[in-house]
Amino acid sequence: MKKIDYSYIARVLASLSGIPVRIFRNEMLCDYYSLINLPKDPMDVFRDEIFALKRHVDYYITPLFHIYGIINSVDIRIVIGPTAQVFANDQSLKELAFKADVPKDEIPDFVDGIKSIINMPLESLLMMLCSVNYLLNDEKLELRDILIRNEEQQTIKATVEQQRTENVYNSEPEQALHNTLQLEEALMDIV
């Protein structure tokens, strides 16, 4: 049996995706890779919920619609995230920083760091997880095998559409004039 280099997998995933990746062995953090320097790991706020997920490939969506992808393999757990499809406002991110016990003077760095993490569609994240799952668990999964939370999907879709609408209507008139193609595409997406 070939020995798997979990650290290498995590490092490559973090580099390719721009999303933090953690490796746990028996629920103890072994490695953490991220292109973004965060004062505290926001995953700690949702650790219990994330660790309760036992399927080989799973995901957790936080109240701020941040997504964490999880791969379970024997005693190893890889957690990728947060990423999002919906942008959280600064006040919500400050509340997350408070919950993560970020020191007051580091909250602006935490908020900026979270905002700079690459936003990845849930389906893309899950396909990445399926690929790694195949390497680790020799199990071929498809999106239909994982996407069972239809209610969460509908909530995310509605929130993304609302955010697009707000962005269109709240954009500066001068900016909208110079981005008419972008405006038209956004309106077509809404319709």
Side-chain angles (χ1 to χ4, degrees):
M1 182 176 204
K2 184 170 79 172
K3 184 178 178 190
I4 297 172
D5 188 345
Y6 295 101
S7 295
Y8 174 76
I9 291 171
R11 211 172 36 252
V12 168
L13 286 175
S15 296
L16 285 172
S17 68
I19 302 170
V21 179
R22 301 149 200 84
I23 299 196
F24 295 90
R25 184 178 298 275
N26 295 322
E27 300 193 11
M28 295 293 295
L29 181 65
C30 299
D31 289 307
Y32 176 85
Y33 298 98
S34 179
L35 302 177
I36 310 302
N37 186 20
L38 294 170
K40 293 273 186 155
D41 188 354
M43 191 213 95
D44 292 340
V45 175
F46 309 102
R47 185 180 176 112
D48 292 340
E49 293 88 346
I50 289 170
F51 275 52
L53 301 171
K54 301 297 183 194
R55 295 189 308 166
H56 282 167
V57 176
D58 216 328
Y59 62 98
Y60 177 74
I61 301 176
T62 73
L64 291 178
F65 299 107
H66 289 158
I67 305 166
Y68 290 88
I70 300 103
I71 303 168
N72 291 301
S73 178
V74 189
D75 62 341
I76 296 293
R77 175 175 286 128
I78 299 175
V79 179
I80 303 171
T83 188
Q85 292 177 300
V86 178
F87 295 99
N89 62 38
D90 284 4
Q91 183 58 38
S92 297
L93 294 176
K94 288 176 185 175
E95 290 171 16
L96 177 61
F98 177 76
K99 290 177 184 175
D101 201 27
V102 175
K104 188 176 181 177
D105 59 324
E106 294 181 347
I107 288 176
D109 293 336
F110 179 86
V111 169
D112 290 342
I114 293 288
K115 289 167 106 178
S116 65
I117 293 174
I118 301 296
N119 290 325
M120 180 180 286
L122 177 61
E123 291 81 6
S124 298
L125 176 66
L126 293 178
M127 286 308 299
M128 184 171 58
L129 296 175
C130 287
S131 300
V132 175
N133 179 63
Y134 181 63
L135 293 172
L136 302 182
N137 294 316
D138 197 30
E139 175 185 35
K140 293 179 182 177
L141 294 175
E142 303 291 333
L143 288 179
R144 68 179 174 274
D145 301 322
I146 304 164
L147 287 173
I148 60 169
R149 298 182 184 104
N150 193 40
E151 185 178 313
E152 288 179 352
Q153 295 301 315
Q154 295 305 319
T155 303
I156 289 175
K157 185 177 179 182
T159 306
V160 167
E161 289 171 0
Q162 178 183 358
Q163 192 175 62
R164 283 183 181 166
T165 303
E166 288 173 3
N167 288 345
V168 168
Y169 288 114
N170 292 335
S171 65
E172 304 269 335
E174 184 177 302
Q175 181 183 9
L177 288 175
H178 295 292
N179 294 322
T180 54
L181 178 59
Q182 183 181 9
L183 178 62
E184 280 183 40
E185 289 173 346
L187 287 172
M188 290 304 292
D189 284 346
I190 292 167
V191 170

